[in-house]
Amino acid sequence: MQVFGSSGTRGVANEELTPAFVLRVAKAAGTAWGADRVAIARDTRYTGRMLADAASSGLASTGTDVDRIGIIPTPGAQFYAEREGIPVIVITASHNPPQYNGIKLVGRDGIELAVSDLEGIEDVLLAESATVAPWDETGRVQEVEGVRRAYVDELLEAADGETIADANLTVALDPGHGAGSLTSPEFFRELGCRVVTVNSQPDGHFPGRDPEPVPDNLEDLGQLVRATDADVGIAHDGDADRAIFYDENGEYIVGDAALAALAAAELEAGETTVSAVNVSQRLVDVVTEIGADLELTPIGSTNIITRIEELEANGERVPIAGEGNGGIFFPSFRLSRDGAFTAARFLELVADRPASEIVAPYDDYANVRFNIEYESTAERDAMIDAAANHAQESDAELNTRDGYRLDHGDAWVLARPSGTEPLVRIYAEARDGARAQELAEELYETVADAKADA
């Protein structure tokens, strides 16, 4: 696909992702969907209202009525889509830096569009064949209130509130100034938790930290856990479809370890889980011990969703899926990543024993990640070619499902272009931290040299 990547389309707002472009995408989506009514949601980004206005105009010009549901987590928008039976356009760049914004398209079933559906919209967009309604048949726009409250009510109904409330937990929460600021504090309090917060004011400039919930951005959360004697720390990204955790000692929990712990609690023999090609050995170990199956896809929620749907269509049960970045699916709840619901499932485990004990069995691996920016497709292609040559010269087992992953038996390393930012990402994992660092640095130097020569 030329427009939609692994998680929608994103770019620097008002430069790459302009109102004119968003309007064109909305017109194409309205035409391809052929729906009488479509909703528009957004996260807290400074440019969100501007781009939502453009999307609203684009949809209305095709004769589509528009529900403006305001700032809400992406999973809340998906809840609304399923409840109303209408598609939704979400204006969000998720974990990307503040200057970015993006478009995510959700079907009337509340699920992100599959690749085939995105391709249909892209065909209309590139062919400039969008419907244009007569002036007196253009769509009407209405503001819809109360969607956030209805979403929180659904979460409360789905979570095991009795178990969580009986544990008298203290939750330290960092929604990172994003859409979760308007829903997660309320949700966890109504679950019976004492909630203390940091970076909890919705603010599209993200003054306290960048939206991506990685350790470098979450120092305040670790300090808050320690200062308040919290049982767990919870962090979201900009649209709150992820959850990252800190233990009761204020120590960061690797996302792959949290996924492995949740999978161990959910999976049974004969069932299947789905993850991406950068899967941690932690999850592989869990699947092997339980006697379940693991399916791998290219990185990105769209790819994972598509594979889950295929497996379930064939009668296989997929109780949990996701990636180590905090984006986890519980398909029996909804086929969407939901940071608040994921956190509630983790709180059910914390109600029984400390967070540090929950993830202790999955602490035997070290992870390293590097990012290399590029300014042109020539630089990107040179780096990917260098990674390919590096892979061909290695005696490790090669996986090319998404980028180039080299499995060395005791460790693995992966290079791939990001689907959401102008970056080539390098991941490595090993039981020994020095080994992971060595593999990552070796590949980093190879692709960095190629970029310099491009």
Side-chain angles (χ1 to χ4, degrees):
M1 291 185 292
Q2 299 180 43
V3 177
F4 300 106
S6 58
S7 296
T9 183
R10 298 179 195 166
V12 176
N14 227 27
E15 294 181 15
E16 300 160 327
L17 198 88
T18 64
F21 175 74
V22 173
L23 184 142
R24 289 177 57 219
V25 171
K27 289 177 67 176
T31 300
W33 279 326
D36 294 332
R37 189 166 128 243
V38 172
I40 295 176
R42 62 187 176 95
D43 65 17
T44 58
R45 290 170 188 271
Y46 182 76
T47 56
R49 181 180 293 277
M50 172 184 76
L51 298 178
D53 288 345
S56 180
S57 296
L59 286 170
S61 75
T62 68
T64 306
D65 291 337
V66 179
D67 289 2
R68 297 286 296 265
I69 62 176
I71 297 173
I72 191 168
T74 292
Q78 293 175 282
F79 151 76
Y80 187 78
E82 184 181 35
R83 188 187 77 176
E84 299 296 312
I86 63 173
V88 177
I89 294 176
V90 187
I91 304 298
T92 178
S94 187
H95 66 278
N96 285 56
Q99 67 269 28
Y100 280 75
N101 217 321
I103 306 168
K104 188 172 289 188
L105 303 177
V106 176
R108 63 185 76 236
D109 56 1
I111 300 172
E112 289 181 47
L113 294 190
V115 171
S116 59
D117 295 321
L118 291 172
E119 288 174 342
I121 293 172
E122 191 170 282
D123 289 343
V124 176
L125 174 67
L126 297 178
E128 299 184 355
S129 57
T131 299
V132 178
W135 70 269
D136 57 348
E137 295 179 14
T138 53
R140 302 292 86 189
V141 180
Q142 65 171 342
E143 303 283 340
V144 180
E145 302 293 336
V147 181
R148 288 196 297 267
R149 180 64 248 181
Y151 163 62
V152 170
D153 287 343
E154 187 206 37
L155 290 172
L156 290 168
E157 186 175 340
D160 186 353
E162 183 176 352
T163 294
I164 295 170
D166 287 347
N168 296 315
L169 300 174
T170 296
V171 170
L173 175 66
D174 181 354
H177 303 293
S181 303
L182 297 171
T183 53
S184 283
E186 181 180 8
F187 171 51
F188 295 124
R189 288 190 179 106
E190 293 189 28
L191 279 176
C193 300
R194 171 179 173 248
V195 180
V196 292
T197 63
V198 64
N199 302 320
S200 64
Q201 306 81 11
D203 189 327
H205 290 94
F206 301 95
R209 69 166 174 90
D210 270 7
E212 187 170 17
V214 294
D216 287 348
N217 294 334
L218 298 177
E219 292 181 3
D220 289 346
L221 180 58
Q223 293 174 4
L224 182 63
V225 170
R226 293 187 289 271
T228 60
D229 197 26
D231 295 284
V232 66
I234 301 169
H236 294 316
D237 58 339
D239 66 338
D241 65 354
R242 299 188 191 183
I244 288 293
F245 304 103
Y246 274 64
D247 71 15
E248 74 280 5
N249 301 310
E251 297 295 327
Y252 171 76
I253 294 175
V254 175
D256 289 301
L259 173 58
L262 287 163
E266 294 287 334
L267 280 172
E268 295 181 2
E271 295 179 334
T272 303
T273 187
V274 181
S275 192
V277 69
N278 63 338
V279 64
S280 170
Q281 188 65 30
R282 298 171 178 89
L283 183 59
V284 176
D285 292 345
V286 168
V287 167
T288 301
E289 182 176 347
I290 291 173
D293 294 317
L294 172 63
E295 293 273 343
L296 297 183
T297 74
I299 290 172
S301 58
T302 299
N303 299 309
I304 292 176
I305 289 167
T306 299
R307 188 58 184 145
I308 293 171
E309 290 178 321
E310 292 170 350
L311 290 165
E312 291 186 334
N314 288 328
E316 296 192 43
R317 175 169 159 75
V318 185
I320 187 171
E323 299 174 271
N325 60 12
I328 299 176
F329 297 86
F330 295 88
S332 62
F333 170 61
R334 177 175 294 110
L335 193 48
S336 69
R337 304 185 301 185
D338 191 317
F341 185 73
T342 296
R345 298 304 288 264
F346 196 75
L347 289 179
E348 293 172 22
L349 303 182
V350 175
D352 182 59
R353 62 192 191 279
S356 60
E357 291 184 16
I358 292 168
V359 298
Y362 317 109
D363 280 345
D364 291 340
Y365 293 94
N367 295 85
V368 176
R369 189 176 89 169
F370 293 135
N371 294 326
I372 307 178
E373 295 183 1
Y374 59 81
E375 297 181 356
S376 67
T377 55
E379 288 184 345
R380 180 198 64 195
D381 292 347
M383 288 193 283
I384 296 303
D385 287 345
N389 292 334
H390 179 86
Q392 295 299 327
E393 294 170 2
S394 172
D395 57 2
E397 181 180 346
L398 175 62
N399 184 318
T400 58
R401 187 162 294 167
D402 184 2
Y404 296 89
R405 172 172 167 146
L406 296 171
D407 285 292
H408 292 269
D410 66 326
W412 60 264
V413 62
L414 166 70
R416 63 176 291 273
S418 168
T420 59
E421 297 177 74
L423 301 170
V424 170
R425 301 191 189 276
I426 294 173
Y427 311 79
E429 180 180 82
R431 288 190 181 274
D432 178 66
R435 172 69 165 150
Q437 188 76 22
E438 175 190 19
L439 288 172
E441 287 181 353
E442 182 182 14
L443 188 49
Y444 177 90
E445 292 172 3
T446 298
V447 299
D449 289 344
K451 173 187 171 182
D453 295 337

